Amino acid sequence: MKLHKKDNFSRRNFLKTSVLASGGMLIGFNFLTACKPEAKMPVDIANLNFNDFNAYIKISEEGFVTIFSPNPEIGQGVKTSMPMIIAEELDVAWQNVTVAQADLDTKNFKRQVAGGSQSIRSSWSVLREAGATAKQMLMQAAANKWQVDISTLKVANGIITNNNGDTLGYGDVVKEAALLEVPEKVTLKELKDFTIIGKDAVNVDLHKIVTGQPLYGLDYKAEGMVYATVLRPPAFGQELVSFDATAAKKVTGVIDVITIGEKVRDFKKSGEKNWSFNLSSSDKVVVIAKNTWAAIKGKKAIKAKWKTITALESTEKHEEVLNGILNDTKGKVRREDGNVAKAFTNADKVIEKTYSAPFLPHNCMEPMNFYANITKEKVHLVGPIQTPEAAANVVGKMFGFAQDKIHLEMTRMGGGFGRRLYGDFVFEVAEIANKIQKPVKLISTREDDMTTGIYRPSTKYKISAALKDGKVLGYHLKEASINGNMYGSIAHFFPAGCIPNYKVETGNYKSNVTTGAWRAPYTNFLAFAEQTFFDELATELNTDPIQLRLNLLENIDSKKDKRIQYSGKRTKDVIELVREKGNWGKVAAGIYQGFAAYYSHNTHVAEIADIEIKNGLPVIKKVTVAVDCGIVVNPTGAKNQVEGGVLDGIGHAMYANFSLKDGKPTYKNFDTYRLIRMNETPKVEVYFVENNLKPTGLGEPGLPPAGGAVANAINAALGKRLYSQPFIKDLKKQTILG
Amino acid sequence: MPNYTLNVNGQQRQVTVDEDTPLLWVLRDELDLVGTKFGCGIAQCGACTVHIDGVAMRSCQMQVSILDGTKITTIEGLSTDGKHPVQEAWETIDVPQCGYCQAGQIMTASAFLAENKNPTEEEIRNAMHGNICRCAAYNRIEKAVKLASKNL
Ligand code: FES
Ligand code: FES
């Protein structure tokens, strides 16, 4: 059944209550199914099992509230912010709420994904309604007890009060409430009455983190568990021929050396497809050991022979093909307004620039790992994964298990950045567990992660502008990328609609190097290219860079173009806020500023970077950020996300170099691969635009404008434009701060 | 396999492991102290930082066989109640994002502050620069170290 109209959608279909054996009340709901009108609904709602839901509110007879957060936590704070939304509508005191991670528990209509900064946006209404529904049922139970009308009751902090001043706690009425019909209509709070949303709430796992308690996949242990390391082809395009495990088997603690790969090939042959499945067909050598160290040493001792199946690629090759796409091919047109060719023919002046970005590994601080135990009857999986549903689905198909035989527990994740959207390590460990019929944990080293990754692909942009009579009349953006191209919506980001003759086209090269989403896919580099290009245009037009953006945005909101993704007003709001807070143009001598603004993942962001020059090198002092993400659910968490996004953006733009030679990544660990460190980080000041609009994501949007703001500041200071990342390479200097 | 007696968090612990086993894996796999994290294995990221006789060291590069007679402190033993001033400062400032690097950050910061009670901003930034935070929670780490220095 497909539901198209919101009206068809009754609360009863996504919410269910029951009395707990322990006496409390359990409210289950399916938060993403509920907010997706096209989602398949269960056929028989009455017979649903509680396992069919992915989010729960539990209220005990003592009045304690436990909220099982449905979304995997990768560090973006949803495990705190989502329960805050429920607690707000439920009207309980935040300090009385416990938050736990809900596991993925079978049945096929569930969906738990952390990625794309969409978590909060897509679940805002559902979480509010779930909380409000529970509250209304509890109030109804109290009204029945007192035999008064529900409208005469008041609630605060989980205590219901009637006109006589009598009180009942939620715990006193849970039993009765659980038996009531789920109401069809509930009233949501007025935004002005919010007491939890908009107030700082610290990370719910905070104390466990600072005391070193087990939380992450790498920390998980089970009785009888063994450890596995996987030797994969050293170059993209190679496969295993043979191996000698004599030395490996002599390492103390090594139990066995096996191969995997057959199940991957079977899955591929079956024609089954899943976007999170990204594995090569090669056999891989697996060392099974009693402990991690033996597994690592054993792997080093394997002598393997590899053969080349498809051409081994290099960074030089990618440079060549991407330049070829930019200069010699017709791309796929993603958007075209007016007559771009004519605008360029009639221009007073044409500016054309090309921007380049390297491959990037994700480098989550916690290396990829996963636990599996597969017996004849069932599958138990535990670990950090952003896409539990897809992972369980593929494992079910690979090993012939129905979804209700698969139990997947999610751990806290030591970073995601897009890497844990792909389940390669889950499928590998499942094949190992299936083969050895023992509980096993796959462990990757940093070298494994960096050299057999799923990379942000190298991308190039060529941007041209046609200037006439001091105005930008034509704009042409061409993207050349590897294994994929910008999402369709990106062609309708700024400056779409602001320039009368406008064209975006894309071209692609298929590579055997695995690539995938990386924090703020495409926009993580596109924003730099565009925002430095506009800075250059401002210089060319003799205009203040901020004023140039504001002029271009002048009439955008009056255009009736539904495809346009961003709001002119909201873009202007963040620009004006950052101009004021960042003291644009009013800083002390010796400080140079750069500006950038970008809309991505439904959030508008503007940034100003302040730098100074020390010993001829740029030192980034401060970044001021203005953000419009609608209602800010948890200010401390939101700021943390934005600060991190900005510094991540700067770090990768400045330092992150990566390359391939003969199919092999040439960077393997943090001795050569450079991540930003504390003494290189500027202060980040974050300001939010205050409004009453639906909250939008924060995990990604802070990142895209950061590189552009810094590059523009470097130009202001040194008169040197940057066209490629990392900047330090472009600046031909090896260190910034020594 | 040889036998070793280690003094970890004030307790004598026996382990039977290969002599080249890094302390990191002894702690994590043998002693169930998983608060100390694995990040790079080559002394570059600081995720595995512990105190050896009060000094911040990288446990991924420290062979178990050389630790005889030393006092090892891990994040689990930094305080008995989880209320070391550095841990408290971390909670007040709400430092972590993913949190994975934070045990190492706290161990580096606590050893540093034990030596330098009143550090300047620059000293903090230099002392902490060996610890990578991939989530780049650096602004808050810096603030928390400053706050902890006031409360020590
Ligand atoms: S794991 Fe020891 S320094 Fe990175
Ligand atoms: S908080 Fe994620 S690595 Fe530091």
Side-chain angles (χ1 to χ4, degrees), chain A residues 64-68 83 94-100 204:
Chain A
F64 295 122
V65 177
T66 310
I67 294 174
F68 294 86
W94 179 244
Q95 63 269 26
N96 295 341
V97 174
T98 308
V99 179
V204 293

Side-chain angles (χ1 to χ4, degrees), chain A residues 374-385:
Chain A
I374 301 189
T375 58
K376 298 237 147 32
E377 296 75 41
K378 58 181 195 276
V379 179
H380 186 200
L381 300 166
V382 186
I385 179 84

